Amino acid sequence: MTKKYVVPLLGALCIVMFGVPANALDLSLNDAVKKITAESNDLKKAEANLKKAEASLDSANANRWFKLDGTVSYMSMVNVEKPFESSSVNLPPELGGILSDAFDMNVADIEIPDNIFQAGLSLTQPIYTFGKIGNAVKSVKSAIKMSESAKELTRREVVYAAANLYWTAKMTDEIVKLSERDLKNARNAKKSLTNAGRAHRSNLLKIESDIATKEINVSDAKFNRDTAHRMLKIMAGIDVNEELNLTDEFPSEFKELNAKKLQNTPEWDILDQQVKMYEDLARSKKANAYPTLAATASYSYMSMAGDVGHMFDKKGSQSAYWGIALQVPIFNGGLNKANATVEAMNAIAAREDLDKAKKLTTEKYENTITQYNRLRDNLSTLTKARDLAAQTYTLSQNRFASGQTSAVELADVSAGLYQLDLALLNTKYNILMSAESIKKLGE
């Protein structure tokens, strides 16, 4: 046999023996969770929101430090009467007389420079703001903690969604197998009936109808499987044309749940920090009505000359000062009080939301634990019922082969077994998702 036929034959053999292509990508639950978490747009947005909140803290803290501003200006005087000639200024007689008397000099000796250069620095350092800055910084720190909790909440949601996608896809795999087995049994029943030479029309019609129905079930199951696998691949960043082999199997038994009492959740942390943020904002807004004490300092330099080339020939004039300033707001129409009231009411609303969330989440957590235990108890009973149905189907098959029962009875028994297989599979899925929900709420 030539090499070019070896790989296709091996692939076909793997599909026949194991039901998956030879080159299928093995994917476990943990791998799926890691891939979906890495691809999650919601997590990336949560990370961006956290970085934005941290940048806001830097912005709020910047108000604690000094502000240094610099100014530089150059002015050239213009002779309005003769714009294109020298800009020497003729002083009004009144001003010339005043200057002559004050400085005992001739007006003709007074020269107004054409060019003026000015440069300066001013510095302001807050000393005490009665909580305006401090409470604003506290509110931003609360916002950062909210963003951190929101990121954790998003991570839990993504992990839960990943597990849901994985087990849904795995369940569709199992349903395809159950449907194909159910169809195979119906076809075997027809073959047995035909080979026995007693193919009554009523039995044949019933079996043909049963086969047609089960062919539709197989078609629907494969469509649902392909849809579930495609969604899993999209969310995990896997090529949609890649075949998947989901390696984790549904457990046959489930451990007893040892869930602790719910103490805290990311949602509660978010609401708790939101209350603190609004309270700090209310105090910060209220403090706007109080004085602000700051240190100030300034330095300026000015140089003047008749032309630009001689502007710095002579030493310019310099001046500087430092001091303390107290800024006292007197009246702003009640703006500060109104803003503080708005934030205080926001804090009350957030506190009410927190109380409600604690009640609802605790109830949901306890109900999920109850559901897990109930489904776990039902699983053993359902397993026994399924085993009994399998035994009943085997007996019906034997009776049908010996002509002791009709195709109608065999079809009913087969349908009952198929429904119990689906119910058993669905119960296992619900138990797994209940466990994931418990972890999402209280891990």
Side-chain angles (χ1 to χ4, degrees):
M1 182 180 295
T2 58
K3 290 184 179 180
K4 67 179 181 178
Y5 297 112
V6 173
V7 174
L9 286 176
L10 287 176
L13 182 61
C14 288
I15 294 176
V16 172
M17 295 180 62
F18 306 106
V20 294
N23 60 343
L25 174 66
D26 290 340
L27 187 67
S28 66
L29 174 62
N30 288 336
D31 290 338
V33 170
K34 290 179 181 178
K35 288 179 178 292
I36 292 175
T37 300
E39 291 290 325
S40 173
N41 299 107
D42 291 333
L43 264 178
K44 293 175 183 178
K45 287 168 58 179
E47 179 66 26
N49 288 333
L50 176 58
K51 291 181 179 180
K52 182 172 68 173
E54 291 171 347
S56 297
L57 179 61
D58 294 337
S59 176
N61 273 321
N63 292 320
R64 296 179 181 272
W65 311 114
F66 63 86
K67 289 181 174 59
L68 181 63
D69 297 317
T71 59
V72 176
S73 65
Y74 166 77
M75 294 178 290
S76 178
M77 306 298 290
V78 177
N79 187 335
V80 178
E81 295 179 355
K82 299 177 181 180
F84 300 103
E85 297 183 8
S86 174
S87 58
S88 58
V89 178
N90 297 321
L91 295 179
E94 297 81 1
L95 180 58
I98 294 174
L99 292 175
S100 297
D101 295 339
F103 297 99
D104 191 20
M105 60 189 299
N106 193 326
V107 176
D109 296 332
I110 299 175
E111 181 182 355
I112 303 298
D114 293 350
N115 303 282
I116 302 175
F117 172 80
Q118 290 181 314
L121 294 173
S122 62
L123 181 145
T124 303
Q125 170 64 58
I127 298 176
Y128 192 69
T129 61
F130 293 88
K132 283 194 287 289
I133 297 177
N135 286 309
V137 170
K138 287 181 181 179
S139 70
V140 177
K141 289 181 177 179
S142 295
I144 291 176
K145 292 180 180 179
M146 287 170 59
S147 297
E148 291 172 346
S149 297
K151 181 182 176 181
E152 172 61 18
L153 181 62
T154 302
R155 186 195 67 79
R156 294 189 185 188
E157 292 286 355
V158 170
V159 170
Y160 177 84
N164 189 20
L165 284 170
Y166 188 89
W167 290 119
T168 298
K170 187 65 178 181
M171 185 165 66
T172 59
D173 286 347
E174 297 299 320
I175 292 175
V176 168
K177 294 177 183 178
L178 292 175
S179 301
E180 289 177 339
R181 186 188 68 187
D182 197 34
L183 175 60
K184 182 180 178 181
N185 289 338
R187 287 173 174 170
N188 288 338
K190 178 185 176 182
K191 183 178 180 181
S192 175
L193 185 64
T194 304
N195 292 340
R198 52 183 180 81
H200 298 296
R201 182 171 178 80
S202 60
N203 281 336
L204 279 176
L205 288 174
K206 174 58 182 173
I207 291 178
E208 290 289 353
S209 174
D210 200 31
I211 289 174
T213 301
K214 292 178 179 182
E215 285 176 344
I216 294 174
N217 290 341
V218 172
S219 176
D220 290 342
K222 288 183 177 180
F223 174 79
N224 292 333
R225 178 198 60 190
D226 294 342
T227 301
H229 275 238
R230 188 163 54 250
M231 182 58 66
L232 176 59
K233 287 183 280 190
I234 290 173
M235 298 307 293
I238 301 173
D239 190 337
V240 292
N241 296 318
E242 185 85 47
E243 294 292 337
L244 291 183
N245 175 32
L246 305 183
T247 57
D248 283 27
E249 300 292 340
F250 281 98
S252 56
E253 295 181 359
F254 295 87
K255 297 180 180 179
E256 184 177 353
L257 193 63
N258 185 23
K260 299 178 181 179
K261 184 178 180 180
L262 188 61
Q263 299 292 336
N264 199 14
T265 71
E267 182 186 8
W268 296 358
D269 286 336
I270 292 173
L271 292 172
D272 182 55
Q273 293 300 325
Q274 191 175 47
V275 171
K276 294 178 181 178
M277 181 187 72
Y278 284 134
E279 289 176 343
D280 290 330
L281 282 175
R283 286 189 282 267
S284 178
K285 301 290 186 181
K286 185 178 180 180
N288 284 329
Y290 304 149
T292 297
L293 183 64
T296 63
S298 176
Y299 167 81
S300 64
Y301 171 86
M302 184 173 66
S303 175
M304 298 182 293
D307 58 77
V308 177
H310 295 83
M311 179 174 291
F312 297 101
D313 288 350
K314 297 180 180 179
K315 186 178 180 181
S317 62
Q318 302 181 69
S319 65
Y321 72 84
W322 68 270
I324 295 177
L326 183 67
Q327 182 181 4
V328 182
I330 297 176
F331 181 76
N332 62 3
L335 178 63
N336 296 325
K337 182 178 179 181
N339 289 335
T341 301
V342 169
E343 302 301 344
M345 294 305 102
N346 285 336
I348 292 175
R351 190 177 291 108
E352 294 299 323
D353 289 339
L354 175 59
D355 291 341
K356 181 180 178 180
K358 285 183 176 181
K359 294 176 183 177
L360 294 178
T361 307
T362 301
E363 179 66 18
K364 182 178 180 181
Y365 180 74
E366 293 175 353
N367 283 343
T368 306
I369 294 173
T370 302
Q371 181 187 27
Y372 178 92
N373 293 328
R374 178 181 62 82
L375 292 172
R376 183 172 171 271
D377 293 338
N378 290 344
L379 182 64
S380 58
T381 304
L382 193 58
T383 302
K384 292 178 182 178
R386 189 268 169 199
D387 292 341
L388 290 173
Q391 294 176 22
T392 302
Y393 179 72
T394 300
L395 291 174
S396 295
Q397 275 185 317
N398 295 334
R399 292 176 62 197
F400 182 78
S402 61
Q404 297 178 7
T405 188
S406 66
V408 174
E409 179 184 337
L410 183 64
D412 290 341
V413 175
S414 176
L417 176 60
Y418 179 71
Q419 291 301 321
L420 282 172
D421 279 329
L422 291 181
L424 187 62
L425 184 62
N426 190 60
T427 300
K428 290 181 178 181
Y429 166 81
N430 287 331
I431 293 175
L432 288 170
M433 294 317 300
S434 294
E436 292 293 335
S437 183
I438 291 169
K439 287 195 298 183
K440 181 181 72 170
L441 291 172
E443 76 175 354

